[in-house]
Amino acid sequence: MKDHDRDGAEAPLRQRTRLVHAGVKRSQFQETSEALFLTQGFVYPDAEAAEARFKGEDPGYIYARYGNPTVGMFEERIASLEGAEDAFATASGMAAVNAAMMCMLRAGDHVVAARALFGSCLYIVETLLPRFGVEITLVDGRDLDAWKAAMRPNTKVAFFESPSNPTLEITDIRAVSEIAHAAGARVVIDNVFATPMFQRPLEFGADVVVYSATKYIDGQGRCLGGVVLGSKDYVRGELEPYLKHTGGAMSPFNAWVMLKGMETLALRCDAQAAAAARIAQALQGHAKLARLLYPGLADHPQHALAMAQMTAGGGVISLDVAGGQASAFRFLNALRIIAISNNLGDAKSLVTHPATTTHQRLSEAARETLGITPGLVRISIGLEDPEDLLEDIARALAAA
Ligand SMILES: *Cc1c(COP(=O)(O)O)cnc(C)c1O
């Protein structure tokens, strides 16, 4: 197989082939595995070449804060997977979320966001943006009338996650994109829970997709990373100037780990989603559960919408353990295989109690609005045998 060059001129290969080959650039040694270019800078053959590169007349690399060959391979691979014109990799998922929005906002603009957001995303929208004169409106992401009513002449961005963390609410990407575009706003979606394997928001009208690559893209709990994807005009015209001058670049080492992670992304996501579906089905109607949230289940209130925009329910399930926080804590403490951690998307199954960890900063009323009840636990299903996980959960529910 030939190298897939920058202009993406290869025949349209299928997803799993792209995950392994897209973006590969071989050095003069023709190595099989992607090279790790652990370098901050690049040398120029002469002063004229340096001048040309800074003027943008020569496309070569300048400095790793602007770009690096290993990071470039990762950006190209994920852009190819997502069907995006371009991508810029970042140091973490939060650097991606921050840059994706900050690069297109100024004082006097207005942002509409779904209320059900990852804690740090909520901090950016609710606390940080207003400090710089950006007005914000938070809505129920499931309520299209609320999105419509929130739009104003100065609305520039609509932002949401789908499925959301930790209650797995689904937002209609196509409908919200139409509402936002009619108001002259652009749509930024945090696609971490769906993964690029199960949901490609650009196909539904979203303008910008962000990932925490820390989660499923690494997939083995090693490195932080993020990426922002969108049109070439957006990535090179708005995002790159913001990121290259504010320093949110991904480390080449982390990009190399992410490239290796992507080679197994399809296999891992399929296995994790299949295990999550199996476990959710088996737990349905369990006497110790007040609620079971998994969009892949037919009786999930938004199942039809979830399946219209996702090809699987994903690898996260949330359980509301009957009896509140004390029962939820007994459940967590009784688990033997599933470890207590706030991360997700790892090969190892992880469980979180959002009300006392990731969402403890919120008021009780705010948590209640979001459905983050005292009994709610979020489980990121890993790559263990699903039957062992099910036995672990059943045992811990008995102890709850
Ligand atoms: C983890 C996460 C982030 C933040 O990513 P980091 O890599 O930890 O900075 C943002 N959004 C969602 C939905 C996440 O799960």
Side-chain angles (χ1 to χ4, degrees), residues 263-350:
E263 292 183 341
T264 58
L265 183 67
L267 300 176
R268 287 185 285 104
C269 287
D270 284 348
Q272 284 165 287
R278 156 91 183 104
I279 290 164
Q281 258 151 24
L283 292 175
Q284 262 183 315
H286 194 290
K288 290 277 180 79
L289 293 179
R291 280 185 304 163
L292 191 167
L293 306 173
Y294 184 64
L297 282 182
D299 69 350
H300 184 280
Q302 294 180 291
H303 178 69
L305 173 61
M307 291 303 107
Q309 56 193 30
M310 295 167 73
T311 53
V316 177
I317 58 178
S318 290
L319 309 174
D320 199 340
V321 183
Q325 183 177 320
S327 298
F329 272 29
R330 278 195 294 274
F331 171 75
L332 259 66
N333 293 339
L335 289 164
R336 292 181 198 161
I337 300 170
I338 303 175
I340 303 169
S341 173
N342 46 282
N343 204 5
L344 65 101
D346 199 310
K348 293 177 172 58
S349 290
L350 302 173

Side-chain angles (χ1 to χ4, degrees), residues 10-30:
E10 74 267 24
L13 297 168
R14 290 166 186 80
Q15 296 280 350
R16 278 178 54 179
T17 311
R18 289 170 192 237
L19 281 166
V20 178
H21 290 285
V24 168
K25 305 258 185 317
R26 294 202 163 91
S27 78
Q28 70 273 32
F29 301 115
Q30 293 293 294

Side-chain angles (χ1 to χ4, degrees), residues 92-94 97 118 121 161 165 190 192-193 212 214-215 224-225 344:
S92 69
M94 287 323 304
V97 171
F118 181 74
C121 295
E161 298 165 12
N165 174 38
D190 180 332
V192 165
F193 274 57
S212 164
T214 313
K215 312 293 168 55
L224 289 180
L344 65 101

Side-chain angles (χ1 to χ4, degrees), residues 204-241:
F204 297 96
D207 301 282
V208 176
V209 181
V210 298
Y211 288 102
S212 164
T214 313
K215 312 293 168 55
Y216 288 97
I217 293 170
D218 174 318
Q220 291 161 74
R222 298 163 294 194
C223 291
L224 289 180
V227 64
V228 185
L229 300 112
S231 70
K232 203 165 253 334
D233 281 351
Y234 166 75
V235 173
R236 295 303 146 198
E238 296 174 274
L239 181 69
E240 181 188 298

Side-chain angles (χ1 to χ4, degrees), residues 82-317:
E82 193 75 39
E85 286 178 10
D86 216 333
F88 202 105
T90 56
S92 69
M94 287 323 304
V97 171
N98 180 64
M101 290 197 276
M102 279 298 208
C103 78
M104 39 178 173
L105 292 171
R106 62 200 64 233
D109 288 345
H110 176 236
V111 171
V112 184
R115 198 174 281 119
L117 291 177
F118 181 74
S120 298
C121 295
L122 193 62
Y123 177 80
I124 289 181
V125 171
E126 205 179 24
T127 307
L128 213 50
L129 291 180
R131 270 201 224 157
F132 297 91
V134 175
E135 301 168 43
I136 61 141
T137 304
L138 294 176
V139 298
D140 180 335
R142 298 164 297 184
D143 183 350
L144 295 177
D145 290 332
W147 283 103
K148 220 173 279 176
M151 293 295 154
R152 298 184 200 160
N154 59 337
T155 307
K156 293 290 160 56
V157 172
F159 175 62
F160 59 93
E161 298 165 12
S162 184
S164 69
N165 174 38
T167 49
L168 309 178
E169 289 177 5
I170 308 294
T171 291
D172 187 332
I173 304 168
R174 194 189 298 280
V176 171
S177 298
E178 281 167 9
I179 292 166
H181 293 162
R186 283 181 281 180
V187 172
V188 178
I189 174 169
D190 180 332
N191 205 39
V192 165
F193 274 57
T195 79
M197 300 319 305
F198 298 145
Q199 177 167 278
R200 277 184 290 285
L202 299 177
E203 292 171 8
F204 297 96
D207 301 282
V208 176
V209 181
V210 298
Y211 288 102
S212 164
T214 313
K215 312 293 168 55
Y216 288 97
I217 293 170
D218 174 318
Q220 291 161 74
R222 298 163 294 194
C223 291
L224 289 180
V227 64
V228 185
L229 300 112
S231 70
K232 203 165 253 334
D233 281 351
Y234 166 75
V235 173
R236 295 303 146 198
E238 296 174 274
L239 181 69
E240 181 188 298
Y242 180 86
L243 271 169
K244 80 180 190 187
H245 297 301
T246 56
M250 177 180 271
S251 125
F253 178 81
N254 290 9
W256 179 81
V257 171
M258 299 305 174
L259 277 163
K260 295 285 112 188
M262 286 188 81
E263 292 183 341
T264 58
L265 183 67
L267 300 176
R268 287 185 285 104
C269 287
D270 284 348
Q272 284 165 287
R278 156 91 183 104
I279 290 164
Q281 258 151 24
L283 292 175
Q284 262 183 315
H286 194 290
K288 290 277 180 79
L289 293 179
R291 280 185 304 163
L292 191 167
L293 306 173
Y294 184 64
L297 282 182
D299 69 350
H300 184 280
Q302 294 180 291
H303 178 69
L305 173 61
M307 291 303 107
Q309 56 193 30
M310 295 167 73
T311 53
V316 177
I317 58 178

